[in-house]
Amino acid sequence: MVDVLSLGLEGVFEIRPPKFDDARGFFSETWNAAKLAKAGISIDFVQDNHSFSRTRGVMRGLHFQMPPFAQDKLVRVLRGSVFDVAVDIRRGSPTFGKWIAVTLSGRQWNQVLVPKGFAHGFVTLEPDTEVVYKVSAPYSAPHDRSIRFDDPDIAIDWPVPATDMVLSAKDEAAPFLADLETGFVYQ
């Protein structure tokens, strides 16, 4: 049976699917809609994404899409490891601006579910890291947003110094959460 562990922010879960090893290698169901529905998780994923990062310290995030193209994300690492972060961006939420983190790795065989209303990002902890993730809405450039990874109001304790991080131009120019309309309101 799949293990589903709450990470302390509403709707954010670490998921540990079973992995069956034998002399040939292994087998694992990394997503099973029926089994996860029994755990209270029911999402229709429409797109799979795959990223490769050559070096330690590659920062991707903090990203989200505004409604109506908001995305739930199920993130896992095939090779290497990442420090993966979710930030509550739902205005009026008792945990607005709070973050949680989990280390994801191919060795641990764990995943994180990041629901709509949360920004997501990660920094690679080793070279040649591959990350795959399912999303519940297609990519939409007009709805795509970023928040500064080093926003002092969020104060994420990244395990890689900012001076050692490799960022895209988009992520370097991202605004602070206080200066951004997220499109999410806590219900």
Side-chain angles (χ1 to χ4, degrees):
M1 184 63 184
V2 63
D3 290 328
V4 179
L5 310 163
S6 174
L7 291 177
L9 291 179
E10 181 183 1
V12 182
F13 298 101
E14 181 178 7
I15 299 173
R16 293 182 171 268
K19 188 175 181 185
F20 305 98
D21 293 292
D22 65 22
R24 301 168 296 167
F26 72 85
F27 173 82
S28 181
E29 285 182 350
T30 58
W31 174 256
N32 182 307
K35 288 179 182 175
L36 271 292
K38 289 180 183 176
I41 299 170
S42 183
I43 301 171
D44 291 325
F45 289 113
V46 300
Q47 180 176 312
D48 281 4
N49 300 323
H50 188 151
S51 73
F52 170 74
S53 300
R54 286 186 174 76
T55 63
R56 179 181 191 274
V58 171
M59 165 57 63
R60 297 181 188 263
L62 301 164
H63 301 152
F64 69 97
Q65 285 192 175
M66 294 179 64
F69 288 91
Q71 297 175 324
D72 300 292
K73 295 180 180 179
L74 180 65
V75 184
R76 67 189 181 101
V77 173
L78 298 178
R79 179 173 51 156
S81 60
V82 302
F83 183 80
D84 198 278
V85 174
V87 178
D88 187 347
I89 58 170
R90 301 168 298 160
R91 301 262 178 218
S93 165
T95 56
F96 177 78
K98 303 293 185 205
W99 62 276
I100 60 88
V102 62
T103 298
L104 302 177
S105 74
R107 288 176 298 285
Q108 292 182 70
W109 206 247
N110 57 340
Q111 305 174 73
V112 67
L113 178 66
V114 180
K116 296 170 185 158
F118 288 77
H120 171 257
F122 63 82
V123 64
T124 58
L125 299 176
E126 54 191 289
D128 298 327
T129 294
E130 289 188 69
V131 177
V132 295
Y133 55 100
K134 298 179 168 309
V135 294
S136 62
Y139 175 73
S140 174
H143 299 89
D144 185 37
R145 299 290 185 275
S146 295
I147 300 167
R148 285 287 303 188
F149 77 96
D150 59 353
D151 185 325
D153 290 338
I154 300 171
I156 298 168
D157 187 16
W158 297 102
V160 175
T163 54
D164 294 345
M165 290 183 180
V166 180
L167 288 89
S168 69
K170 169 186 155 183
D171 291 342
E172 284 180 347
F176 296 117
L177 179 57
D179 301 327
L180 182 67
E181 175 52 51
T182 68
F184 295 98
V185 177
Y186 182 72
Q187 300 295 327

